[in-house]
C-alpha cells in the first residue's frame, strides 16, 4: 500500500499530488492501494486506482455546506469516493463524531447494501488514561451502532415495523411486508447474520431469508422474510443467555395463549426444537404479529386496554403452581442495599468529573445523579410505608415495548418472563405509571387510574393494599435503579443512545412521583375500595 499525506508542504493539496500524476496512475495500474489523507481539500485521483480512503474528516468539513439546503450536492460529491472506499477512518477531537455523521450515514447505507467497508475511529484529547480511552472507545462504538440503526430506520419509513415505536399507527399489511426493504447482513456482526440465514434455511425451511434488525437490549431481534414470502420474528440469544430459562419463557407464552391472551406462537424447527442451537449460535423463531408499539404515552383507551389485559394475565397465572413458592427476588427487592446504590452513584459522578471534556449527556448525567443522590435518602421511609405485598407468577416484563396495538386494541403481548413469583404491585405500578405516560400524559395521575381501574375489573382478587401501594412500588423501583446511565459509563448496551434517553425519562418520572406521591396514593386507595372483590 502506498501512502500519501495531502497537506505535503505545498500551498494546495492539489499541487502536492499534481507533481506526480504519472506515478499515481502507474501505481494504480499495478493494483497498488492508495491511502490518501485529505486535510485541506478534495484531491483529483487517477482513474483506475484501487483507492483506499483513509481519512474523510477534513473532506466532510470541506464538502458539508453551512447552508443545509445544499446537502444534496455534498452527498453527490461524496458518492464516487465512497463507492470505491474500503476503509472509513473518522476522527473525534473531543466533541463527538457527529460532525462526520453525513459521510458515516452514507457509508453505513453502503455497508447495509453489501459493500465491504472497514470503519475506524480515532480520538484525541489530554486525558489518555485507560478509563478515558475505554469510555471513548465505547462511545464511538455506540455512536456507530446508532448511525447504522438510523440508516436501517430511514430505509423503512414508509412501512410499519411491528416492534419499533412510532413507525405508523396502522397494522402492517401483507403487501407492505413483502415490499419492506431488507438487508442480508448486519454491518456490525456480518458472520452472525450469515449464520442465522443458514440456520433459518437448514432448520426451518426458510430459504433465502432477508433480515431486518429490530430494536432490543437483551437479545438481537430480526424480522426475516424467506424467498417464498413467509415473514417471521427471529430472536438471536446472546452468549450469556440462560437457555433453560428461555425455554421456560416459551412454555409460559404458550400457557398465556391457552388462557386466551393474544401471543406470538413459537415456530418449532424441522426437528421440533423450540430453540435451535448451532455451534455458538442459538435462536428461536416466532410468528410475526401485526400491530405496533406505542412509546409516546398511551391514549385513555389504550391505558384501559393495557390494564384489562394485565388483569387477565395475573388472573390466569394466579393459580400457577409456582405462584405459591417463596420469592427470594421479592425479598431482595424489599431490602435494597442503599449504601451500594449511593456508592455507585458517587462512582459514576466521579467518572464524569474526571473527564477532561464533557459532552451534553455528561452534563445531564451529572445533574440527574446529584438529584438521585438526594432521592436515595428518602428510600428508607418509602420502604417502611409498604404493606405486606402479594407475590405470584407474572408476565415478567409487561411494558410498552411488549404490547402491540392496532388503534386502541391490543393485538399481541410478547416477551413473557420465566415462571418466577414476584410482586404483583410491581408489575401493575410499572405499567400504570410508566415514565412515558408520566412525561407525555397531560394528567398522568388520571391516566394511571384508568389503567388500574381496568385491571381491577379483570382481576378483582389483588388485595386493595397492593393496588394502593403500586405507585409507591413504581417509585422505589425508579429510585433504586441506575439503568441506562450506569451502562453508559461502564458497559454500553446494544442501543446505548436509547438507554441514555430512557435514563433521563425515568429520572424525570421519579421526580414527578416523589412530588405527588401522597396525591397519587389517595386516588389509588379510593379506586381500590370502590368495589368489594369476590372471595377466591
Amino acid at each position: 500500500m502506498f501512502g500519501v499525506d495531502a497537506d505535503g508542504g505545498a500551498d494546495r493539496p492539489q499541487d502536492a499530488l499534481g507533481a506526480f500524476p504519472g506515478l499515481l496512475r502507474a501505481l494504480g495500474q499495478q493494483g497498488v492501494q492508495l491511502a490518501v489523507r485529505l486535510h485541506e481539500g478534495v484531491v483529483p485521483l487517477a482513474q483506475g486506482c484501487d483507492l483506499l480512503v483513509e481519512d474523510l474528516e477534513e473532506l466532510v468539513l470541506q464538502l458539508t455546506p453551512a447552508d443545509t439546503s445544499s446537502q444534496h450536492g455534498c452527498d453527490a460529491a461524496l458518492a464516487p469516493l465512497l463507492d470505491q472506499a474500503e476503509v472509513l477512518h473518522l476522527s473525534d477531537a473531543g466533541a463527538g463524531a457527529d460532525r462526520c455523521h453525513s459521510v458515516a450515514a452514507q457509508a453505513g447505507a453502503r455497508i447495509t447494501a453489501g459493500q465491504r467497508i472497514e470503519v475506524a475511529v480515532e480520538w484525541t484529547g489530554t486525558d489518555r488514561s485507560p478509563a478515558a480511552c475505554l469510555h471513548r472507545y465505547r462511545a464511538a462504538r455506540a455512536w456507530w451502532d446508532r448511525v447504522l440503526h438510523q440508516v436501517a430506520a430511514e430505509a423503512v419509513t414508509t412501512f410499519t415495523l411491528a416492534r419499533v415505536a412510532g413507525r405508523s399507527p396502522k397494522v402492517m399489511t401483507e403487501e407492505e411486508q413483502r415490499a419492506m426493504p431488507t438487508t442480508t447482513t448486519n454491518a456490525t456482526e456480518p458472520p452472525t447474520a450469515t449464520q442465522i440465514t443458514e440456520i433459518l434455511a437448514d432448520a426451518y425451511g426458510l430459504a433465502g431469508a432477508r433480515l431486518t434488525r429490530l430494536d432490543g437490549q437483551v437479545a438481537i431481534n430480526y424480522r426475516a422474510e424467506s424467498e417464498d414470502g413467509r415473514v417471521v420474528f427471529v430472536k438471536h440469544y446472546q452468549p450469556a443467555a440462560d437457555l433453560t430459562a428461555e425455554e421456560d419463557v416459551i412454555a409460559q407464552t404458550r400457557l398465556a395463549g391457552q388462557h386466551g391472551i393474544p401471543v406470538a406462537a413459537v415456530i418449532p424447527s424441522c426437528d421440533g426444537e423450540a430453540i435451535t442451537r448451532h455451534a455458538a449460535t442459538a435462536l428461536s423463531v416466532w410468528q410475526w404479529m401485526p400491530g405496533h408499539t406505542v412509546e409516546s404515552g398511551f391514549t385513555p383507551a389504550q391505558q384501559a386496554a393495557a390494564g384489562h389485559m394485565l388483569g387477565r394475565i395475573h388472573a390466569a397465572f394466579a393459580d400457577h403452581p409456582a405462584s405459591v413458592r417463596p420469592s427470594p427476588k421479592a425479598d431482595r427487592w424489599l431490602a435494597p442495599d442503599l449504601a451500594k446504590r449511593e456508592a455507585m452513584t458517587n462512582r459514576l459522578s466521579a467518572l464524569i468529573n474526571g473527564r477532561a471534556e464533557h459532552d451534553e449527556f455528561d452534563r445531564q448525567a451529572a445533574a440527574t445523579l446529584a438529584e438521585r443522590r438526594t432521592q436515595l435518602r428518602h428510600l428508607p421511609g418509602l420502604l417502611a410505608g409498604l404493606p405486606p405485598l402479594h407475590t405470584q407468577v407474572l408476565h415478567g416484563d409487561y411494558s410498552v415495548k411488549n404490547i402491540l396495538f392496532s388503534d386502541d386494541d391490543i393485538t399481541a403481548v410478547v416477551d413473557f418472563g420465566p415462571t418466577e413469583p414476584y410482586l404483583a404491585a410491581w408489575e401493575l405500578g410499572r405499567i400504570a405509571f410508566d415514565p412515558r405516560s408520566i412525561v407525555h400524559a397531560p394528567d398522568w395521575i388520571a391516566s394511571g387510574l384508568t389503567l388500574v381501574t381496568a385491571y381491577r375489573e379483570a382481576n378483582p382478587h389483588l388485595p386493595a393494599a397492593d393496588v394502593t401501594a403500586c405507585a409507591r412500588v413504581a417509585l422505589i423501583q425508579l429510585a433504586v435503579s441506575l439503568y441506562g446511565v450506569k451502562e453508559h459509563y461502564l458497559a454500553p448496551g446494544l442501543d446505548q443512545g436509547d438507554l441514555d434517553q430512557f435514563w433521563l425519562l425515568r429520572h424525570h418520572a421519579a421526580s414527578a412521583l416523589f412530588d405527588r406521591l401522597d396525591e397519587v396514593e389517595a386516588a389509588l386507595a379510593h379506586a381500590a375500595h370502590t368495589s368489594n372483590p369476590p372471595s377466591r
Side-chain angles (χ1 to χ4, degrees), residues 6 45 59 86 217 225 331 370 380 415 513:
L45 297 162
L59 177 60
E86 294 181 6
Q217 294 291 351
E225 181 176 1
D331 293 340
D415 282 356
L513 275 169

Side-chain angles (χ1 to χ4, degrees), residues 252 255-256 313-320 323 392-395 416:
Q252 192 68 357
L255 179 61
I313 293 171
H314 284 189
F317 291 168
D319 293 329
H320 193 288
S323 288
Q392 66 163 79
V393 172
L394 310 173
H395 173 282
F416 283 74

